[in-house]
Amino acid sequence: MGRKALEAVGIMIDELGLGGRVSAEELLTEREKLLDKMLPDAKLMPGAERLIRHLHRCGVPIAVATSSTRRYFEVKTGRHRELFGLMNHIVTGDMVTKSK
């Protein structure tokens, strides 16, 4: 979504008509539990590793910009640390003051 987590959850509650049934904070807590279980098994997109290694070999600067927090970025990419170590820059959502 490109938004801060609490804001994104608030939008989701509104869109799904869940107002009054669950608070943004409650939903965010449940979301975090699910992400902690799911993200460590995140797989690379097909062709991503080949492309990253090719760009790195050719000296092309590579960056990641994600709305994920640094914590979730680390959890999600933990299986691929060496590959993400080839990045010249990594910017996570908690590093910026104004997102989309």
Side-chain angles (χ1 to χ4, degrees), residues 51-99:
L51 175 62
I52 291 167
R53 291 190 186 285
H54 173 75
L55 293 172
H56 180 73
R57 267 192 314 275
C58 292
V60 177
I62 314 165
V64 172
T66 177
S67 60
S68 294
T69 62
R70 186 66 179 201
R71 176 180 176 271
Y72 282 123
F73 175 80
E74 294 293 337
V75 171
K76 189 185 305 184
T77 61
R79 292 175 48 187
H80 314 287
R81 286 197 201 290
E82 186 269 332
L83 187 65
F84 280 89
L86 301 178
M87 302 292 168
N88 299 89
H89 299 285
I90 296 174
V91 179
T92 58
D94 48 356
M95 297 171 73
V96 298
T97 55
K98 184 175 172 138
S99 56

Side-chain angles (χ1 to χ4, degrees), residues 1-92:
M1 272 180 112
R3 301 184 187 263
K4 301 291 182 190
L6 194 57
E7 181 184 0
V9 168
I11 292 169
M12 189 170 31
I13 288 172
D14 291 344
E15 290 294 319
L16 296 174
L18 298 174
R21 292 190 220 169
V22 64
S23 72
E25 291 80 9
E26 291 170 323
L27 191 55
L28 193 57
T29 297
E30 289 303 312
R31 173 187 169 269
E32 289 173 357
K33 289 177 191 176
L34 289 171
L35 290 176
D36 283 338
K37 288 179 187 176
M38 295 169 44
L39 291 181
D41 295 325
K43 294 177 177 55
L44 294 172
M45 298 286 291
E49 182 171 4
R50 183 172 175 230
L51 175 62
I52 291 167
R53 291 190 186 285
H54 173 75
L55 293 172
H56 180 73
R57 267 192 314 275
C58 292
V60 177
I62 314 165
V64 172
T66 177
S67 60
S68 294
T69 62
R70 186 66 179 201
R71 176 180 176 271
Y72 282 123
F73 175 80
E74 294 293 337
V75 171
K76 189 185 305 184
T77 61
R79 292 175 48 187
H80 314 287
R81 286 197 201 290
E82 186 269 332
L83 187 65
F84 280 89
L86 301 178
M87 302 292 168
N88 299 89
H89 299 285
I90 296 174
V91 179
T92 58

